[in-house]
Amino acid sequence: MRHSHLICFLFLFFSPLLKAQPLPGLSSSNYGGLYRVLQNPSAAAGSRYRYHLIPAAGISTVNPTLFRYFNSNDYFGQLRLPYSDQLARDLRGIGSVTNAPATNGWSELIGPSVLVSLGRAHAIAVHTRIRSYLTGSSLPEPLTNAYRRGLYSRVLQPAEGSFDFNLANESYAEAGLTYGLQVFNGELHRLRIGGTLRRIVAAQRRTLTAAGQYAIQTNAGTNEKTLSIQNAAFMSQSSVPRQGFRLSGDDLGTGWAYDLGATYEIGYQTSDRRNRSAAGLDDLRPAYILRLSAALLNNGQIDYRSGTSQSGSFSQDFNQDELDRFGNAPLEYLASRSNSTGQYLAETVNLPRTMHLEADLRLSPAFYVNALRVQNLGGREVYPSQLIITPRFEDEDSEIALPVSFIGPDNRVAVGLSARLGPIAVGMSDLNHFFNRSAENRSTVFWLGISAWKLQSVKN
């Protein structure tokens, strides 16, 4: 679709900051390795792995239409936007993990990363990521349908009203170093702590605010409708943009961040310690009764250099051809209506902090029930607070979990699926998108990764 660029432009400012997004099931698993370390650095200590390597893994919010049309442009769309001059993105992939009026979506690419255990008491991990996220308010549903389906769609009904939204997109690359320490390893309880220091580079930030009135009207004698935008005012700001796929430069944003975590286990550490009478038993599966953990994530800030700002106003009647022209070059379209161009002043932006509180109950040697509370700690809410209840089955080589999430202030329920089979990890946070065709504006968190590992020996 030619007017897909329109939504790409809007989504460029819609996607939220990805702040330590949990992967339900995988991030709570005892065999989660680096996936768990990225959510709680204390998980590095006492890991089941001698080493755990992730060559590549991806996390992205996607709209259900991705699975209906198998449009690869939708996956990692936010991640590619800062590097795209054409802003090419299919409009059907826009959505949000939260209900209106909020908009939340993100992408993250985990690059080559490794966790190494130094015995049972110490561990270090080195990890790299590229992240892009966006937060803000959403457009009214009639406007969303006009962009997604086009003005010829029979589903699109006449409507009128006002719109007032604000959006922010941030993207950056980072490299992190994690250290985990097992402070105490008793017969029936253990305490582990950990910390991560992250260096942020190649940061870019864009914001957009717009307000006005709209009307969708039926044209006599034709199926096409007219979209009328009246008294629309806008202002956009952008820090210095990246040129190509570069991760360094004095004109790009930089910063530092850190994560802290602690884990306390009650019960035996492994099944062979619980059953010492069985000579030669090498069962290293966890045997704790309860695991409690807490993590404070994304503490830090990014310093942005100066950039540019534009503001303007316009009124315009759009037929499908005009909507396509806007969608094919939205930046140029708005720039032609800008009556004020200025400098975007340098600023320091705090990262949105979150706290993870977790309880993991072991019901049998391979079956667990996990409760995870993700809580925003003030400031910008780029990822919604939520409660995730996850029953899971796990062993060394395979795992399956069914996370049930209660998302945002309205406790929207999402039932997901997470699986690990050998080196492949895959999952999504909301299976509803396979069955509910009316949920086109809602997104699911989808992840896919590969890894290699070597388990700890009985001696260790």
Side-chain angles (χ1 to χ4, degrees):
M1 281 185 195
R2 288 156 48 200
H3 64 286
S4 64
H5 298 75
L6 166 61
I7 293 304
C8 162
F9 168 71
L10 294 172
F11 195 78
L12 172 64
F13 297 95
F14 288 11
S15 22
L17 295 170
L18 173 63
K19 33 165 228 186
Q21 156 64 21
L23 304 180
L26 187 60
S27 61
S28 60
S29 170
N30 291 292
Y31 298 94
L34 274 165
Y35 297 111
R36 176 161 171 76
V37 169
L38 293 175
Q39 310 306 317
N40 190 324
S42 66
S47 170
R48 262 61 195 175
Y49 295 110
R50 185 172 180 180
Y51 68 81
H52 187 235
L53 172 68
I54 298 180
I59 310 160
S60 183
T61 52
V62 294
N63 185 264
T65 51
L66 169 67
F67 303 102
R68 190 179 307 167
Y69 300 108
F70 294 97
N71 186 349
S72 60
N73 285 337
D74 285 334
Y75 197 57
F76 293 125
Q78 302 95 301
L79 202 63
R80 296 195 308 271
L81 281 174
Y83 300 100
S84 174
D85 294 331
Q86 298 178 349
L87 299 177
R89 178 174 168 78
D90 194 288
L91 65 90
R92 294 174 300 188
I94 302 307
S96 173
V97 296
T98 53
N99 290 331
T103 297
N104 300 80
W106 53 83
S107 294
E108 173 177 346
L109 179 65
I110 302 176
S113 304
V114 63
L115 165 67
V116 179
S117 295
L118 308 175
R120 276 288 184 182
H122 307 272
I124 59 173
V126 178
H127 36 86
T128 58
R129 289 183 285 186
I130 299 177
R131 316 170 89 176
S132 182
Y133 33 79
L134 169 135
T135 186
S137 57
S138 59
L139 291 170
E141 185 175 355
L143 282 179
T144 301
N145 285 332
Y147 296 149
R148 179 179 289 117
R149 301 175 181 274
L151 296 177
Y152 286 102
S153 173
R154 294 182 178 180
V155 177
L156 184 64
Q157 298 297 317
E160 62 181 19
S162 62
F163 61 91
D164 186 353
F165 62 94
N166 59 88
L167 306 162
N169 169 248
E170 295 188 60
S171 61
Y172 58 81
E174 68 172 38
L177 176 64
T178 297
Y179 171 70
L181 171 65
Q182 188 159 259
V183 178
F184 180 77
N185 184 12
E187 182 76 9
L188 293 175
H189 57 120
R190 284 155 301 284
L191 175 63
R192 302 176 183 126
I193 60 174
T196 296
L197 181 65
R198 297 185 279 123
R199 176 58 173 170
I200 297 172
V201 298
Q204 178 178 316
R205 175 177 171 82
R206 298 184 182 186
T207 63
L208 172 68
T209 58
Q213 288 78 45
Y214 73 93
I216 300 174
Q217 301 169 338
T218 301
N219 297 332
T222 178
N223 290 329
E224 184 182 5
K225 300 174 181 66
T226 297
L227 170 62
S228 177
I229 301 294
Q230 299 295 325
N231 303 319
F234 69 90
M235 182 175 68
S236 65
Q237 294 181 321
S238 175
S239 63
V240 176
R242 290 192 288 268
Q243 301 297 322
F245 197 77
R246 68 182 180 117
L247 299 179
S248 62
D250 294 337
D251 53 350
L252 299 178
T254 59
W256 292 92
Y258 67 91
D259 307 323
L260 299 173
T263 299
Y264 180 68
E265 289 182 0
I266 302 172
Y268 290 99
Q269 181 169 345
T270 59
S271 295
D272 62 342
R273 292 184 65 178
R274 184 178 183 180
N275 303 285
R276 290 184 173 186
S277 60
L281 184 65
D282 59 353
D283 188 352
L284 294 182
R285 289 179 299 174
Y288 60 78
I289 299 173
L290 181 64
R291 185 188 72 201
L292 302 173
S293 63
L296 188 61
L297 304 174
N298 230 37
N299 304 276
Q301 60 188 26
I302 300 177
D303 296 321
Y304 288 99
R305 279 45 170 182
S306 59
T308 59
S309 66
Q310 291 182 330
S311 61
S313 60
F314 69 96
S315 297
Q316 178 72 48
D317 290 335
F318 291 89
N319 58 21
Q320 190 62 59
D321 290 338
E322 186 68 15
L323 189 61
D324 287 341
R325 280 190 286 271
F326 179 42
N328 288 334
L331 295 177
E332 291 83 351
Y333 198 99
L334 289 182
S336 67
R337 287 155 174 77
S338 172
N339 52 32
S340 176
T341 300
Q343 187 179 26
Y344 170 70
L345 300 179
E347 65 174 335
T348 297
V349 176
N350 292 324
L351 294 173
R353 297 185 303 151
T354 55
M355 179 173 61
H356 288 193
L357 300 176
E358 181 190 46
D360 197 60
L361 179 65
R362 177 179 178 271
L363 299 179
S364 74
F367 184 70
Y368 303 78
V369 175
N370 183 273
L372 173 63
R373 175 63 180 176
V374 179
Q375 182 64 49
N376 289 287
L377 299 179
R380 297 170 300 139
E381 184 171 317
V382 299
Y383 182 73
S385 297
Q386 61 181 293
L387 173 66
I388 307 173
I389 307 296
T390 307
R392 76 178 188 279
F393 167 86
E394 68 174 30
D395 64 17
E396 298 174 358
D397 301 313
S398 62
E399 175 181 320
I400 188 167
L402 294 173
V404 180
S405 304
F406 302 88
I407 304 173
D410 55 354
N411 288 322
R412 181 177 73 81
V413 178
V415 179
L417 174 67
S418 174
R420 177 175 54 87
L421 181 61
I424 305 298
V426 64
M428 62 177 57
S429 64
D430 192 352
L431 291 174
N432 180 59
H433 295 77
F434 279 120
F435 309 107
N436 187 356
R437 291 180 175 268
S438 66
E440 289 188 350
N441 198 48
R442 282 167 49 175
S443 294
T444 182
V445 182
F446 180 77
W447 59 91
L448 176 66
I450 58 174
S451 61
W453 68 88
K454 182 176 181 179
L455 292 170
Q456 292 274 18
S457 66
V458 177
K459 180 180 178 180
N460 288 337

